[in-house]
Amino acid sequence: MTDVTSIATDTKTPALRIRDVAKTFSTPHGDVVALKPVSIDIKQGEFIAIIGPSGCGKSTLMNAVGGLLEDYEGTVEVDGKVVRGCHQEIGMVFQEESTFPWRTALDNVAFPLEAAGVGKEERHAKAMELLNLVGLDGFENRFPAELSGGMRQRIAIARTLAFKPRILLMDEPFAALDEQTRLLLGDKVLQIQQELNQTTMLITHNIAEAVQLADRVLIMTFRPGTIKRVVDIDLPRPRSSKMMGGERFGHFVATIWEDLREEASKGLLELEQVRST
Amino acid sequence: MTAVNTATVVPPVRRRAAGKPLLPPLVARLLFLVFAIGFWEVASRYGWINAFTAPAPSAIWSGFIQIIVAGELGAAFVRTFLEALAASAIGAIGGIAIGWWLHSSKKIGLAYTSWVAAAASAPLVLLYPLFLVIFGRNSSTIVAMGALGCMPPIILKAKDGLDGVRPVLLNVGRAFSLTPRQQFTMIQFPAALPVIFTGIRIGLLFAIINVVGVEFLIAFGGLGELISDLGDRFDYPAMYAAIFFVVLVSIAFFYLTEKLEIWLLSSK
């Protein structure tokens, strides 16, 4: 396990550097601090997971890094260059269903290439490669409505990868899926991440998912959110969901829950107080 | 003593499934039409109603054949169709543009949407004298009135459709650094299209009504003028034939666009 202060001390230029990113929202009832300064360094090819109770600012952090939120304090650097706003080096996969229902699987994946002016033949060839990568070859001419939730989320992942982003951000990408699909899709994400050596930042509520996928798990405090603790997951790679029954896996889940329980309890207490008023 | 079988054999009763209509809808509709037309025919022939002002269906059918053979109906239909098409195209482009404008600014949307809703329910065809002054007595007035009539429902549905685009789809576009134009053409418009299409379908019908109405009022070509002309000649069977033709064209148009909408939604 690592102490909070050592999160951002790697001397080599990291693929993604988040420096003192913080956000305060102004509301009619006064300012709400959603995120206290957060600093994280992520190495090339590293997979980190950020876990925390609802309302801790995980999505705010992701939106700031991904560029959907531009009005924040601190800086985000990709390969040492400060970026603000949406950037092609950073790809995002969203929690909600985000495939375009009027496009086939192939045209969904080819979407960013089409927007960039890549020719039809080339973009379709690239999209087919990515559909193969996510295990959807044979479904290229299907519309999203004809596919399952897990398949649609794989299309969204392939579409994000089409642009070859240096950093892949995933905001609870499996939240809307059933447990079995979630586990299998986790395996698929691991396989893709290992094949492409893709630097990845995952936001999740699910402890087992974080342990299954990540090299490091960052636990966030309840509002105002900041990094409470970092847990290094030294499970061997390549990994898969088969590891979930292992003793070491259980140890990490228990360790993370120990810290997370306190924060989740604070969130639950606040929710109950709001409801009682 | 022999046992007496007191049980009676009850023949099985065939019951209708709950909610199933007595007659299939199509048969029910056809039966109603046959009954109504038959009653009208008898009432007209036996003098229960004035056969001059309300001629029998058989006389109307003869009038229909007469205006087809004379070439009046075909020429009038083509003219009305082209005017309605031009009006709908202008109305759709203008309506979608104004709908986008109301969508793009919350303040503008709040300020003017209720005006558009009021215009949608107002008899805009009564503004035709103003358009006569602006465009003169020609096809431009008819097309302009048709476009004006079909615009309000298209504006309202375009705004509704664009307002209803899921934010996550817009975020996908932002994450891929799409330009505002790409964001509209590649995400907002196709996502809103099913709702916009409903507006266009209603707008097209409003365009036909306005075009025929203005043709009738200013007696300048098309089915509207044909109806007006036949009425002035007291050729009521042919006049009713032309009126029913307009009604049938509107119904056919509504039916076809409805099928097209269902096909568009189901295939995507």
Side-chain angles (χ1 to χ4, degrees), chain B residues 112-123:
Chain B
Y112 299 117
T113 304
S114 55
W115 284 11
V116 180
S121 55

Side-chain angles (χ1 to χ4, degrees), chain A residues 7 66 143 161 185-186 238 247:
Chain A
I7 303 167
F143 286 97
L161 292 174
L185 203 50
E247 193 184 323

Side-chain angles (χ1 to χ4, degrees), chain A residues 68 86 97 101-102 115 143 159, chain B residues 166 174 182 186 190 267-268:
Chain A
L68 295 179
C86 291
E97 154 64 9
W102 60 91
F143 286 97
R159 182 179 61 192
Chain B
R166 289 188 296 127
R174 289 179 63 199
Q182 285 177 319
M186 296 181 82
S267 64
K268 306 288 161 73

Side-chain angles (χ1 to χ4, degrees), chain A residues 247-266:
Chain A
E247 193 184 323
R248 192 108 181 96
F249 192 98
H251 161 74
F252 282 123
V253 170
T255 305
I256 292 167
W257 176 235
E258 197 177 305
D259 271 314
L260 196 57
R261 191 171 184 279
E262 189 187 341
E263 302 305 321
S265 300
K266 287 179 197 168

Side-chain angles (χ1 to χ4, degrees), chain A:
Chain A
M1 257 160 270
T2 316
D3 186 72
V4 182
T5 51
S6 68
I7 303 167
T9 52
D10 196 344
T11 49
K12 194 180 164 190
T13 305
L16 177 68
R17 172 171 280 174
I18 298 167
R19 273 282 169 274
D20 299 320
V21 168
K23 176 67 187 171
T24 301
F25 289 102
S26 296
T27 73
H29 309 291
D31 288 350
V32 174
V33 181
L35 200 61
K36 285 206 290 188
V38 168
S39 297
I40 310 166
D41 284 358
I42 307 177
K43 291 179 285 190
Q44 170 60 39
E46 193 179 15
F47 196 129
I48 72 151
I50 297 177
I51 194 163
S54 296
C56 73
K58 301 188 294 290
S59 292
T60 303
L61 177 62
M62 162 141 165
N63 288 340
V65 176
L68 295 179
L69 183 70
E70 292 186 41
D71 178 23
Y72 60 87
E73 293 164 47
T75 56
V76 174
E77 294 172 27
V78 177
D79 289 330
K81 290 178 190 163
V82 175
V83 294
R84 193 171 281 260
C86 291
H87 198 272
Q88 290 178 1
E89 298 285 349
I90 300 174
M92 295 176 85
V93 177
F94 299 90
Q95 177 182 351
E96 304 100 311
E97 154 64 9
S98 68
T99 54
F100 300 124
W102 60 91
R103 284 174 168 258
T104 61
L106 186 72
D107 285 334
N108 257 290
V109 177
F111 176 83
L113 302 172
E114 187 182 332
V118 177
K120 190 175 179 181
E121 234 171 79
E122 191 184 338
R123 69 175 185 256
H124 278 184
K126 181 70 191 164
M128 274 309 299
E129 271 179 41
L130 287 161
L131 282 172
N132 287 342
L133 182 72
V134 297
L136 285 177
D137 38 323
F139 293 93
E140 59 272 15
N141 294 321
R142 300 284 187 88
F143 286 97
E146 300 170 305
L147 303 171
S148 69
M151 291 162 111
R152 290 201 287 264
Q153 201 57 302
R154 275 188 276 168
I155 290 174
I157 293 169
R159 182 179 61 192
T160 305
L161 292 174
F163 226 81
K164 292 189 178 172
R166 290 272 286 115
I167 317 292
L168 180 63
L169 304 182
M170 297 201 286
D171 186 5
E172 301 186 49
F174 316 136
L177 306 176
D178 64 82
E179 187 61 21
Q180 291 162 28
T181 310
R182 179 191 285 247
L183 289 173
L184 293 173
L185 203 50
D187 286 345
K188 183 53 78 178
V189 166
L190 272 173
Q191 179 206 325
I192 294 166
Q193 196 263 339
Q194 279 155 201
E195 271 185 45
L196 303 178
N197 193 31
Q198 180 73 53
T199 309
T200 309
M201 185 170 121
L202 170 78
I203 304 283
T204 183
H205 271 112
N206 189 307
I207 302 173
E209 187 175 284
V211 175
Q212 179 196 356
L213 299 175
D215 297 308
R216 282 188 292 160
V217 177
L218 281 62
I219 303 167
M220 287 188 74
T221 60
F222 182 63
R223 196 178 305 133
T226 192
I227 305 296
K228 180 181 183 182
R229 191 179 184 187
V230 179
V231 179
D232 288 318
I233 310 294
D234 57 5
L235 292 170
R237 290 188 183 269
R239 294 183 199 164
S240 82
S241 52
K242 288 179 187 169
M243 303 176 91
M244 293 183 76
E247 193 184 323
R248 192 108 181 96
F249 192 98
H251 161 74
F252 282 123
V253 170
T255 305
I256 292 167
W257 176 235
E258 197 177 305
D259 271 314
L260 196 57
R261 191 171 184 279
E262 189 187 341
E263 302 305 321
S265 300
K266 287 179 197 168
L268 191 65
L269 189 68
E270 190 185 284
L271 187 68
E272 284 171 354
Q273 281 170 349
V274 169
R275 281 189 179 157
S276 65
T277 53

Side-chain angles (χ1 to χ4, degrees), chain B residues 23-67:
Chain B
L23 289 169
L26 185 64
V27 176
R29 279 180 219 156
L30 287 174
L31 274 178
F32 176 79
L33 275 177
V34 168
F35 176 78
I37 292 170
F39 179 78
W40 185 359
E41 182 76 30
V42 171
S44 184
R45 284 188 183 213
Y46 286 91
W48 301 345
I49 54 174
N50 188 327
F52 180 71
T53 51
S58 56
I60 293 172
W61 177 253
S62 301
F64 183 63
I65 302 295
Q66 170 208 315
I67 54 176

